[in-house]
Amino acid sequence: MAEIILAAKREKSLLRRHPWVFSGAIAHIRGNPPSAGETVDIRAADGAFLGKGAFSPTSKIRVRVWTFEADEEITPLFFSRRLERALRARATLVREGHTGYRLVNAESDGLPGVMIDRCGDYLVGQFLTTGAEYWKTTIVSALNRLVPNRGIFERSDTDVRLKEGLPKQIGLLSGQKPPDLVEIREGAYRFLVDIRQGHKTGFYLDQRDNRAAVAPYAKGAEVLNCFSYTGGFAVAALNAGAIRVVNVDSSSDALALARKNINLNSPDATGVTYLEGDVFTVLRAFREENRLFDLIILDPPKFADSRQHLEKAARGYKDINLLAFKLLRPEGFLITFSCSGLMTPDLFIKTIAWAALDAGREAQILRYLNQASDHPTALNFPEASYLKGLICRVT
Ligand code: SAH
């Protein structure tokens, strides 16, 4: 096994069990140059063992740690054990009857680059790094042993793969190809998910707890659901007694599926509308028309994917939140999110405060929201925490 020898004093983050080794921290490689995904030993400049990880020749994150234990071998058994551990952590969701949840959340479940979601009878995998790719068939066969399923489908179509020198990949890994739409259960709600073509692995599972959190504010409310995608928040609001819901999204496909989901859950609902358009434009138009709402939900896509774009992103968040504040009735609620990891909770709160100020509204934070518990953040890997939200009340 090749050994990655770090430069002097570059072992600190590994001693804190952060699972990444950046290329700049490496002094040299001892032994045959490892191929993509191969397991390597990581050692400090003085030779002390630090961990074992997967080598990635093109990524700036040159090694991702599988284990910090010298006596733990990286074999199929290792992957079975990690998967079993991840499964046990989801037991409460299973008991509650949820059939859509994240089974493996990469680094935070001790499996860097591996994301596995359960969507009803199907599993959906994202294998984002060279290490994940290298062990893909091992992981798929372990999943088949541990989790009853009809098929495992791959959705490794994200840009991260390109940094790892891997092509994007979509297709069947085992079993049957999922049908066009697969139904999942989330407590009282049912959702149809497009595993093959939907965003990410088809559905925003990370918003599960927040869909439940929205419910208490929706009874009797006129709701504006911005960036509605396939209607997750609309279903929750209608189920809780909302009297009107306006869904806005730029994608007609997303809105068509939102309509199906809403009809599936609230077949008698009236007063639901679907607006295909740009949220920025729609909010401005509503302002011109003096439209008002009791509850506004803002769940935009990631505005910032690099530090250079952070300032522009903050302005984007501010703009939509400012407009939303102006469209709220007195005592109305704004439920607002950011899924950009670079946008820290602090900066997000400041941005929302700035938006309220410029809108001339006084507001208070009632609750802080984050990603659902099946998307855990390992304490040694704070980067995993990306979704944040606020429930604000205009006073
Ligand atoms: N709230 C959703 C997830 C939102 S994902 C849920 O809980 O399931 C972001 C959505 O915003 C996507 O559906 C995308 O089509 C839409 N979108 C992106 N930019 C937009 C824009 N400028 N105006 C309207 N919709 C936009």
Side-chain angles (χ1 to χ4, degrees):
M1 196 190 301
E3 292 180 334
I4 304 296
I5 314 296
L6 300 192
K9 298 192 182 143
R10 297 304 293 267
E11 70 278 14
K12 280 205 193 102
S13 65
L14 284 136
L15 292 174
R16 284 198 306 268
R17 300 206 159 202
H18 190 279
W20 290 356
V21 179
F22 285 93
S23 57
I26 298 174
H28 63 275
I29 298 174
R30 194 181 291 154
N32 284 335
S35 59
E38 220 178 289
T39 305
V40 292
D41 265 353
I42 307 154
R43 293 186 179 276
D46 66 3
F49 174 86
L50 294 168
K52 296 177 191 179
F55 189 73
S56 185
T58 62
S59 172
K60 274 192 205 154
I61 306 173
R62 195 54 51 89
V63 186
R64 293 181 198 241
V65 177
W66 293 125
T67 182
F68 294 95
E69 310 301 330
D71 57 0
E72 190 166 40
E73 298 302 329
I74 308 308
T75 61
L77 185 62
F78 165 84
F79 289 95
S80 295
R81 277 201 307 264
R82 288 284 156 107
L83 291 173
E84 281 168 311
R85 192 174 87 180
L87 277 166
R88 286 197 298 277
R90 275 75 184 175
T92 48
L93 287 169
V94 178
R95 275 200 297 277
E96 287 165 12
H98 296 292
T99 65
Y101 50 86
R102 177 148 296 179
L103 209 61
V104 179
N105 196 35
E107 276 82 349
S108 296
D109 280 305
L111 290 171
V114 183
M115 309 239 208
I116 311 290
D117 289 344
R118 176 179 167 203
C119 255
D121 294 334
Y122 294 87
L123 300 181
V124 194
Q126 290 181 279
F127 297 84
L128 302 177
T129 57
T130 55
E133 181 70 24
Y134 187 92
W135 292 99
K136 187 156 76 182
T137 48
T138 301
I139 293 169
V140 167
S141 52
L143 282 169
N144 277 325
R145 251 184 306 104
L146 297 169
V147 192
N149 71 80
R150 275 194 202 191
I152 306 183
F153 195 76
E154 176 168 22
R155 283 295 308 269
S156 301
D157 50 328
T158 76
D159 290 342
V160 191
R161 293 258 304 185
L162 307 177
K163 292 187 188 169
E164 293 278 323
L166 300 167
K168 295 186 184 183
Q169 215 152 323
I170 302 179
L172 190 64
L173 290 169
S174 82
Q176 295 169 29
K177 190 165 121 184
D180 292 346
L181 294 174
V182 171
E183 187 176 319
I184 61 165
R185 288 203 153 264
E186 183 178 289
Y189 318 139
R190 296 157 68 191
F191 292 112
L192 296 167
V193 179
D194 181 350
I195 290 177
R196 284 163 15 209
Q197 293 178 54
H199 289 184
K200 307 209 280 185
T201 58
F203 194 61
Y204 287 84
L205 299 168
D206 54 356
Q207 289 285 26
R208 179 188 318 98
D209 297 351
N210 302 330
R211 281 186 278 276
V214 161
Y217 307 97
K219 193 168 166 46
E222 279 192 61
V223 181
L224 176 58
N225 182 26
C226 296
F227 308 97
S228 65
Y229 189 51
T230 56
F233 283 110
V235 164
L238 287 163
N239 190 276
I243 53 168
R244 284 179 61 79
V245 178
V246 179
N247 296 291
V248 187
D249 202 284
S250 54
S251 153
S252 57
D253 287 347
L255 287 171
L257 190 46
R259 187 188 291 270
K260 283 191 184 148
N261 279 325
I262 289 166
N263 290 338
L264 186 65
N265 289 275
S266 309
D268 304 325
T270 52
V272 184
T273 49
Y274 304 86
L275 251 180
E276 183 184 337
D278 177 15
V279 165
F280 290 83
T281 315
V282 170
L283 291 176
R284 281 197 188 93
F286 282 177
R287 176 79 189 130
E288 302 279 296
E289 297 161 19
N290 291 317
R291 292 274 299 263
L292 291 174
F293 296 89
D294 305 298
L295 168 59
I296 300 180
I297 298 159
L298 293 178
D299 183 23
K302 195 151 89 175
F303 285 163
D305 48 15
S306 70
R307 233 163 262 286
Q308 300 98 280
H309 297 144
L310 190 54
E311 206 174 305
K312 184 154 171 270
R315 276 199 301 278
Y317 286 113
K318 188 207 158 187
D319 277 356
I320 49 170
N321 282 280
L322 187 158
L323 288 162
F325 273 123
K326 288 192 171 177
L327 295 177
L328 278 173
R329 294 203 171 93
E331 322 256 309
F333 298 97
L334 172 66
I335 305 188
T336 182
F337 296 96
S338 162
C339 60
S340 303
L342 290 168
M343 188 92 181
T344 59
D346 259 12
L347 178 58
F348 186 56
I349 293 169
K350 276 187 196 137
T351 307
I352 306 307
W354 181 26
L357 193 68
D358 281 10
R361 305 302 296 267
E362 266 179 42
Q364 47 191 195
I365 298 172
L366 303 187
R367 280 192 67 183
Y368 299 89
L369 305 173
N370 55 17
Q371 63 219 43
S373 60
D374 51 337
H375 293 57
T377 302
L379 281 171
N380 56 339
F381 190 66
E383 290 89 338
S385 172
Y386 62 97
L387 182 63
K388 61 221 127 311
L390 299 172
I391 301 184
C392 296
R393 177 174 178 272
V394 171
T395 53

mmCIF file of all heavy atoms in Angstrom, residues 223-255:
data_model
loop_
_atom_site.group_PDB
_atom_site.id
_atom_site.type_symbol
_atom_site.label_atom_id
_atom_site.label_comp_id
_atom_site.label_asym_id
_atom_site.label_seq_id
_atom_site.Cartn_x
_atom_site.Cartn_y
_atom_site.Cartn_z
ATOM 1 N N VAL A 223 -51.166 31.365 1.323
ATOM 2 C CA VAL A 223 -49.746 31.007 1.314
ATOM 3 C C VAL A 223 -49.124 31.289 -0.050
ATOM 4 O O VAL A 223 -49.715 30.949 -1.090
ATOM 5 C CB VAL A 223 -49.556 29.504 1.654
ATOM 6 C CG1 VAL A 223 -48.081 29.134 1.674
ATOM 7 C CG2 VAL A 223 -50.223 29.162 2.986
ATOM 8 N N LEU A 224 -47.945 31.865 -0.031
ATOM 9 C CA LEU A 224 -47.157 32.019 -1.258
ATOM 10 C C LEU A 224 -45.947 31.104 -1.127
ATOM 11 O O LEU A 224 -45.093 31.316 -0.258
ATOM 12 C CB LEU A 224 -46.731 33.483 -1.432
ATOM 13 C CG LEU A 224 -45.823 33.793 -2.624
ATOM 14 C CD1 LEU A 224 -46.465 33.372 -3.945
ATOM 15 C CD2 LEU A 224 -45.483 35.292 -2.657
ATOM 16 N N ASN A 225 -45.907 30.076 -1.954
ATOM 17 C CA ASN A 225 -44.860 29.054 -1.871
ATOM 18 C C ASN A 225 -43.879 29.264 -3.022
ATOM 19 O O ASN A 225 -44.120 28.822 -4.140
ATOM 20 C CB ASN A 225 -45.521 27.666 -1.942
ATOM 21 C CG ASN A 225 -44.517 26.533 -1.822
ATOM 22 O OD1 ASN A 225 -43.442 26.709 -1.237
ATOM 23 N ND2 ASN A 225 -44.860 25.374 -2.369
ATOM 24 N N CYS A 226 -42.785 29.976 -2.718
ATOM 25 C CA CYS A 226 -41.828 30.319 -3.785
ATOM 26 C C CYS A 226 -40.771 29.229 -3.938
ATOM 27 O O CYS A 226 -40.306 28.683 -2.955
ATOM 28 C CB CYS A 226 -41.130 31.627 -3.455
ATOM 29 S SG CYS A 226 -42.264 33.003 -3.394
ATOM 30 N N PHE A 227 -40.356 28.975 -5.159
ATOM 31 C CA PHE A 227 -39.430 27.886 -5.494
ATOM 32 C C PHE A 227 -40.077 26.571 -5.041
ATOM 33 O O PHE A 227 -39.507 25.799 -4.282
ATOM 34 C CB PHE A 227 -38.072 28.077 -4.813
ATOM 35 C CG PHE A 227 -37.453 29.439 -5.039
ATOM 36 C CD1 PHE A 227 -37.602 30.457 -4.093
ATOM 37 C CD2 PHE A 227 -36.744 29.718 -6.198
ATOM 38 C CE1 PHE A 227 -37.036 31.707 -4.287
ATOM 39 C CE2 PHE A 227 -36.166 30.973 -6.400
ATOM 40 C CZ PHE A 227 -36.315 31.976 -5.445
ATOM 41 N N SER A 228 -41.273 26.343 -5.533
ATOM 42 C CA SER A 228 -42.109 25.255 -4.997
ATOM 43 C C SER A 228 -41.609 23.862 -5.359
ATOM 44 O O SER A 228 -41.951 22.899 -4.710
ATOM 45 C CB SER A 228 -43.531 25.409 -5.511
ATOM 46 O OG SER A 228 -43.551 25.230 -6.922
ATOM 47 N N TYR A 229 -40.812 23.777 -6.457
ATOM 48 C CA TYR A 229 -40.402 22.461 -6.971
ATOM 49 C C TYR A 229 -41.629 21.552 -7.069
ATOM 50 O O TYR A 229 -42.621 21.950 -7.680
ATOM 51 C CB TYR A 229 -39.263 21.868 -6.117
ATOM 52 C CG TYR A 229 -38.643 20.622 -6.709
ATOM 53 C CD1 TYR A 229 -38.198 20.593 -8.020
ATOM 54 C CD2 TYR A 229 -38.524 19.459 -5.961
ATOM 55 C CE1 TYR A 229 -37.649 19.443 -8.562
ATOM 56 C CE2 TYR A 229 -37.963 18.308 -6.501
ATOM 57 C CZ TYR A 229 -37.531 18.300 -7.804
ATOM 58 O OH TYR A 229 -36.990 17.153 -8.335
ATOM 59 N N THR A 230 -41.613 20.350 -6.482
ATOM 60 C CA THR A 230 -42.739 19.435 -6.700
ATOM 61 C C THR A 230 -43.796 19.527 -5.598
ATOM 62 O O THR A 230 -44.551 18.577 -5.370
ATOM 63 C CB THR A 230 -42.236 17.989 -6.874
ATOM 64 O OG1 THR A 230 -41.460 17.631 -5.718
ATOM 65 C CG2 THR A 230 -41.361 17.864 -8.110
ATOM 66 N N GLY A 231 -43.830 20.672 -4.895
ATOM 67 C CA GLY A 231 -44.965 20.953 -4.018
ATOM 68 C C GLY A 231 -44.860 20.468 -2.583
ATOM 69 O O GLY A 231 -45.874 20.409 -1.884
ATOM 70 N N GLY A 232 -43.664 20.145 -2.125
ATOM 71 C CA GLY A 232 -43.515 19.627 -0.759
ATOM 72 C C GLY A 232 -44.160 20.526 0.300
ATOM 73 O O GLY A 232 -44.983 20.071 1.103
ATOM 74 N N PHE A 233 -43.788 21.800 0.292
ATOM 75 C CA PHE A 233 -44.337 22.702 1.313
ATOM 76 C C PHE A 233 -45.825 22.969 1.088
ATOM 77 O O PHE A 233 -46.571 23.185 2.052
ATOM 78 C CB PHE A 233 -43.554 24.023 1.352
ATOM 79 C CG PHE A 233 -42.229 23.892 2.043
ATOM 80 C CD1 PHE A 233 -41.043 23.971 1.324
ATOM 81 C CD2 PHE A 233 -42.168 23.684 3.410
ATOM 82 C CE1 PHE A 233 -39.821 23.833 1.958
ATOM 83 C CE2 PHE A 233 -40.951 23.544 4.062
ATOM 84 C CZ PHE A 233 -39.769 23.617 3.332
ATOM 85 N N ALA A 234 -46.255 22.958 -0.165
ATOM 86 C CA ALA A 234 -47.675 23.197 -0.460
ATOM 87 C C ALA A 234 -48.528 22.077 0.133
ATOM 88 O O ALA A 234 -49.575 22.331 0.747
ATOM 89 C CB ALA A 234 -47.885 23.291 -1.966
ATOM 90 N N VAL A 235 -48.054 20.844 -0.016
ATOM 91 C CA VAL A 235 -48.785 19.697 0.534
ATOM 92 C C VAL A 235 -48.909 19.857 2.055
ATOM 93 O O VAL A 235 -49.984 19.668 2.635
ATOM 94 C CB VAL A 235 -48.076 18.374 0.153
ATOM 95 C CG1 VAL A 235 -48.559 17.215 1.015
ATOM 96 C CG2 VAL A 235 -48.296 18.082 -1.330
ATOM 97 N N ALA A 236 -47.804 20.234 2.700
ATOM 98 C CA ALA A 236 -47.817 20.399 4.165
ATOM 99 C C ALA A 236 -48.779 21.514 4.569
ATOM 100 O O ALA A 236 -49.543 21.375 5.523
ATOM 101 C CB ALA A 236 -46.409 20.683 4.665
ATOM 102 N N ALA A 237 -48.746 22.632 3.833
ATOM 103 C CA ALA A 237 -49.594 23.786 4.186
ATOM 104 C C ALA A 237 -51.074 23.450 3.992
ATOM 105 O O ALA A 237 -51.908 23.773 4.849
ATOM 106 C CB ALA A 237 -49.193 24.996 3.342
ATOM 107 N N LEU A 238 -51.404 22.794 2.891
ATOM 108 C CA LEU A 238 -52.815 22.452 2.626
ATOM 109 C C LEU A 238 -53.327 21.448 3.654
ATOM 110 O O LEU A 238 -54.442 21.557 4.161
ATOM 111 C CB LEU A 238 -52.965 21.884 1.207
ATOM 112 C CG LEU A 238 -52.830 22.937 0.107
ATOM 113 C CD1 LEU A 238 -52.576 22.275 -1.238
ATOM 114 C CD2 LEU A 238 -54.081 23.828 0.044
ATOM 115 N N ASN A 239 -52.465 20.498 3.973
ATOM 116 C CA ASN A 239 -52.840 19.494 4.966
ATOM 117 C C ASN A 239 -53.138 20.142 6.320
ATOM 118 O O ASN A 239 -53.972 19.663 7.093
ATOM 119 C CB ASN A 239 -51.695 18.489 5.080
ATOM 120 C CG ASN A 239 -52.056 17.275 5.881
ATOM 121 O OD1 ASN A 239 -51.966 17.295 7.106
ATOM 122 N ND2 ASN A 239 -52.502 16.222 5.211
ATOM 123 N N ALA A 240 -52.468 21.265 6.590
ATOM 124 C CA ALA A 240 -52.656 21.957 7.870
ATOM 125 C C ALA A 240 -53.780 22.983 7.803
ATOM 126 O O ALA A 240 -53.999 23.713 8.765
ATOM 127 C CB ALA A 240 -51.351 22.629 8.279
ATOM 128 N N GLY A 241 -54.452 23.088 6.664
ATOM 129 C CA GLY A 241 -55.625 23.952 6.604
ATOM 130 C C GLY A 241 -55.435 25.290 5.905
ATOM 131 O O GLY A 241 -56.245 26.209 6.091
ATOM 132 N N ALA A 242 -54.402 25.404 5.068
ATOM 133 C CA ALA A 242 -54.246 26.634 4.285
ATOM 134 C C ALA A 242 -55.451 26.787 3.352
ATOM 135 O O ALA A 242 -55.944 25.786 2.822
ATOM 136 C CB ALA A 242 -52.958 26.577 3.469
ATOM 137 N N ILE A 243 -55.909 28.031 3.147
ATOM 138 C CA ILE A 243 -57.082 28.181 2.280
ATOM 139 C C ILE A 243 -56.700 28.496 0.838
ATOM 140 O O ILE A 243 -57.475 28.228 -0.079
ATOM 141 C CB ILE A 243 -58.087 29.240 2.821
ATOM 142 C CG1 ILE A 243 -57.378 30.560 3.093
ATOM 143 C CG2 ILE A 243 -58.806 28.717 4.063
ATOM 144 C CD1 ILE A 243 -58.349 31.695 3.328
ATOM 145 N N ARG A 244 -55.528 29.094 0.649
ATOM 146 C CA ARG A 244 -55.047 29.342 -0.710
ATOM 147 C C ARG A 244 -53.546 29.082 -0.739
ATOM 148 O O ARG A 244 -52.854 29.428 0.221
ATOM 149 C CB ARG A 244 -55.268 30.804 -1.112
ATOM 150 C CG ARG A 244 -56.683 31.188 -1.463
ATOM 151 C CD ARG A 244 -56.738 32.675 -1.811
ATOM 152 N NE ARG A 244 -55.903 33.008 -2.958
ATOM 153 C CZ ARG A 244 -56.250 32.799 -4.228
ATOM 154 N NH1 ARG A 244 -57.423 32.278 -4.515
ATOM 155 N NH2 ARG A 244 -55.445 33.110 -5.212
ATOM 156 N N VAL A 245 -53.082 28.498 -1.842
ATOM 157 C CA VAL A 245 -51.631 28.357 -2.007
ATOM 158 C C VAL A 245 -51.273 28.740 -3.440
ATOM 159 O O VAL A 245 -51.836 28.195 -4.394
ATOM 160 C CB VAL A 245 -51.134 26.916 -1.718
ATOM 161 C CG1 VAL A 245 -49.633 26.820 -1.960
ATOM 162 C CG2 VAL A 245 -51.452 26.489 -0.293
ATOM 163 N N VAL A 246 -50.363 29.691 -3.561
ATOM 164 C CA VAL A 246 -49.817 30.043 -4.869
ATOM 165 C C VAL A 246 -48.417 29.447 -4.955
ATOM 166 O O VAL A 246 -47.554 29.768 -4.134
ATOM 167 C CB VAL A 246 -49.738 31.582 -5.048
ATOM 168 C CG1 VAL A 246 -49.149 31.931 -6.411
ATOM 169 C CG2 VAL A 246 -51.105 32.221 -4.856
ATOM 170 N N ASN A 247 -48.212 28.546 -5.906
ATOM 171 C CA ASN A 247 -46.896 27.935 -6.099
ATOM 172 C C ASN A 247 -46.177 28.635 -7.238
ATOM 173 O O ASN A 247 -46.741 28.782 -8.323
ATOM 174 C CB ASN A 247 -47.058 26.460 -6.474
ATOM 175 C CG ASN A 247 -47.688 25.659 -5.358
ATOM 176 O OD1 ASN A 247 -47.083 25.456 -4.322
ATOM 177 N ND2 ASN A 247 -48.925 25.226 -5.569
ATOM 178 N N VAL A 248 -44.944 29.031 -6.996
ATOM 179 C CA VAL A 248 -44.165 29.677 -8.058
ATOM 180 C C VAL A 248 -42.886 28.896 -8.299
ATOM 181 O O VAL A 248 -42.144 28.598 -7.353
ATOM 182 C CB VAL A 248 -43.783 31.133 -7.684
ATOM 183 C CG1 VAL A 248 -43.123 31.828 -8.870
ATOM 184 C CG2 VAL A 248 -44.995 31.909 -7.203
ATOM 185 N N ASP A 249 -42.632 28.563 -9.552
ATOM 186 C CA ASP A 249 -41.372 27.907 -9.913
ATOM 187 C C ASP A 249 -41.090 28.200 -11.386
ATOM 188 O O ASP A 249 -42.012 28.410 -12.168
ATOM 189 C CB ASP A 249 -41.443 26.388 -9.685
ATOM 190 C CG ASP A 249 -40.061 25.758 -9.534
ATOM 191 O OD1 ASP A 249 -39.365 25.580 -10.558
ATOM 192 O OD2 ASP A 249 -39.664 25.456 -8.389
ATOM 193 N N SER A 250 -39.802 28.192 -11.734
ATOM 194 C CA SER A 250 -39.455 28.471 -13.127
ATOM 195 C C SER A 250 -39.574 27.219 -13.997
ATOM 196 O O SER A 250 -39.487 27.305 -15.216
ATOM 197 C CB SER A 250 -38.029 29.024 -13.203
ATOM 198 O OG SER A 250 -37.149 28.145 -12.554
ATOM 199 N N SER A 251 -39.762 26.064 -13.380
ATOM 200 C CA SER A 251 -39.808 24.823 -14.157
ATOM 201 C C SER A 251 -41.238 24.320 -14.304
ATOM 202 O O SER A 251 -41.923 24.027 -13.319
ATOM 203 C CB SER A 251 -38.935 23.762 -13.460
ATOM 204 O OG SER A 251 -39.390 22.468 -13.755
ATOM 205 N N SER A 252 -41.677 24.170 -15.550
ATOM 206 C CA SER A 252 -43.046 23.688 -15.771
ATOM 207 C C SER A 252 -43.163 22.209 -15.383
ATOM 208 O O SER A 252 -44.204 21.776 -14.899
ATOM 209 C CB SER A 252 -43.463 23.911 -17.227
ATOM 210 O OG SER A 252 -42.556 23.263 -18.079
ATOM 211 N N ASP A 253 -42.082 21.448 -15.563
ATOM 212 C CA ASP A 253 -42.119 20.036 -15.152
ATOM 213 C C ASP A 253 -42.313 19.915 -13.640
ATOM 214 O O ASP A 253 -43.089 19.079 -13.159
ATOM 215 C CB ASP A 253 -40.809 19.323 -15.526
ATOM 216 C CG ASP A 253 -40.702 19.084 -17.025
ATOM 217 O OD1 ASP A 253 -41.738 19.238 -17.723
ATOM 218 O OD2 ASP A 253 -39.597 18.764 -17.492
ATOM 219 N N ALA A 254 -41.585 20.757 -12.889
ATOM 220 C CA ALA A 254 -41.712 20.725 -11.427
ATOM 221 C C ALA A 254 -43.142 21.072 -11.023
ATOM 222 O O ALA A 254 -43.740 20.404 -10.173
ATOM 223 C CB ALA A 254 -40.722 21.693 -10.793
ATOM 224 N N LEU A 255 -43.707 22.096 -11.671
ATOM 225 C CA LEU A 255 -45.075 22.511 -11.325
ATOM 226 C C LEU A 255 -46.095 21.422 -11.677
ATOM 227 O O LEU A 255 -47.059 21.206 -10.935
ATOM 228 C CB LEU A 255 -45.427 23.819 -12.028
ATOM 229 C CG LEU A 255 -44.742 25.070 -11.452
ATOM 230 C CD1 LEU A 255 -44.971 26.270 -12.346
ATOM 231 C CD2 LEU A 255 -45.236 25.364 -10.028
#
